[in-house]
């Protein structure tokens, strides 16, 4: 279904894109990119909490940080357990992306500061997370939508 939506928005996919070699290469690219970006969520979320500590609700920041750490566990099967061409890899990657979208989308919802300048900071940083996900997940449209849809709904 998502693939049909993506095809309607752009030119039809070439038959070469549907070959196992292309799918393997695109999924391997996502796996390599997320091997850096997923662990980078730990210092990123920690830094957000440190910076916002004086201006946002501290208990909400701790809850949000804990949610970020828990959602990192969903990436384990994507990186270490399954081959990128297995159907289970697709399922695990979609679940991990959706969990990431919900977790990062919760920051403005539960820990938004009262100061308008810090609200702008939270908005910019949250959109930066979405943009960074677009960089490495956009080649697999269904995977980017797995992150973007929950991120947008929650935010």
């Amino acid at each position: 279904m998502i693939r049909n939506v993506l095809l309607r928005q752009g030119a039809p996919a070439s038959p070469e894109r549907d070959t196992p070699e292309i799918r393997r290469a695109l999924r391997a690219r996502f796996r390599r990119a997320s091997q850096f970006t997923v662990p980078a969520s730990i210092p990123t979320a920690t830094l957000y909490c440190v910076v916002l500590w004086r201006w946002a609700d501290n208990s909400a920041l701790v809850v949000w940080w804990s949610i970020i750490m828990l959602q990192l566990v969903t990436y384990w099967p994507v990186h270490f357990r399954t081959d990128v061409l297995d159907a289970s890899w697709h399922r695990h990657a979609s679940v991990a992306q959706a969990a990431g979208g919900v977790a990062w989308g919760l920051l403005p919802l539960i820990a938004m500061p009262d100061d308008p300048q810090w609200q702008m900071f939270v908005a910019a940083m949250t959109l930066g997370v979405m943009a960074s996900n677009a960089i490495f997940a956009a080649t697999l449209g269904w995977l980017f939508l797995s992150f973007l849809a929950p991120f947008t709904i929650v935010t």
Side-chain angles (χ1 to χ4, degrees):
M1 180 172 111
I2 292 175
R3 181 173 180 231
N4 293 336
V5 170
L6 292 175
L7 290 178
R8 274 187 257 138
Q9 291 178 354
S14 65
E16 296 84 29
R17 185 174 171 96
D18 290 338
T19 65
E21 295 82 23
I22 298 296
R23 281 195 305 262
R24 181 183 301 273
L26 290 174
R27 290 177 180 187
R29 179 179 175 265
F30 171 80
R31 181 185 264 179
R32 278 191 310 275
S34 59
Q35 284 175 343
F36 168 75
T37 58
V38 171
S41 295
I42 297 168
T44 303
T46 303
L47 184 60
Y48 284 1
C49 289
V50 168
V51 169
L52 293 172
W53 195 257
R54 287 185 53 201
W55 291 276
D57 180 21
N58 295 350
S59 59
L61 286 172
V62 170
V63 167
W64 174 76
W65 186 86
S66 301
I67 291 169
I68 290 291
M69 297 306 125
L70 285 174
Q71 69 89 22
L72 292 176
V73 174
T74 63
Y75 281 94
W76 182 265
V78 175
H79 296 298
F80 302 110
R81 293 196 46 210
T82 56
D83 180 45
V84 293
L85 284 182
D86 286 347
S88 62
W89 187 89
H90 178 276
R91 184 176 55 255
H92 290 304
S94 297
V95 168
Q97 284 287 93
V102 168
W104 284 100
L106 281 175
L107 175 60
L109 186 66
I110 65 174
M112 185 61 87
D114 292 330
D115 187 350
Q117 292 174 334
W118 287 103
Q119 289 175 355
M120 198 60 176
F121 171 79
V122 169
M125 294 301 111
T126 306
L127 289 173
V129 168
M130 185 183 69
S132 69
N133 190 278
I135 290 170
F136 68 89
T139 56
L140 300 166
W142 53 267
L143 201 55
F144 178 61
L145 291 176
S146 295
F147 179 85
L148 183 63
F151 179 89
T152 306
I153 291 169
V154 170
T155 303

